[in-house]
Amino acid sequence: MEMQNIGYYIFILVAIIVAFLIVKKVTTCLVKSIVLIVLAVVLGYIYWMYLR
């Protein structure tokens, strides 16, 4: 594993945690589920395009 990829993984992990905490505090269950699905798709796209 390259050192540059570790930075991306840490960034993505922090982004997931922060997004989850914000969504948990602000929205209802249905909206929370939709936002987390969209976030997962976006992060999957980032991984597929830049980190594989």
Side-chain angles (χ1 to χ4, degrees):
M1 179 183 284
E2 297 177 19
M3 289 300 291
Q4 185 179 13
N5 285 349
I6 293 173
Y8 286 120
Y9 289 126
I10 292 171
F11 171 75
I12 289 172
L13 183 62
V14 170
I16 290 171
I17 293 169
V18 170
F20 178 76
L21 292 175
I22 291 171
V23 169
K24 185 177 174 184
K25 288 184 179 290
V26 173
T27 62
T28 63
C29 188
L30 179 61
V31 176
K32 199 185 315 183
S33 299
I34 293 169
V35 170
L36 288 176
I37 290 170
V38 170
L39 179 65
V41 169
V42 169
L43 291 175
Y45 174 78
I46 291 171
Y47 173 77
W48 183 258
M49 294 303 293
Y50 298 108
L51 299 178
R52 69 179 168 99

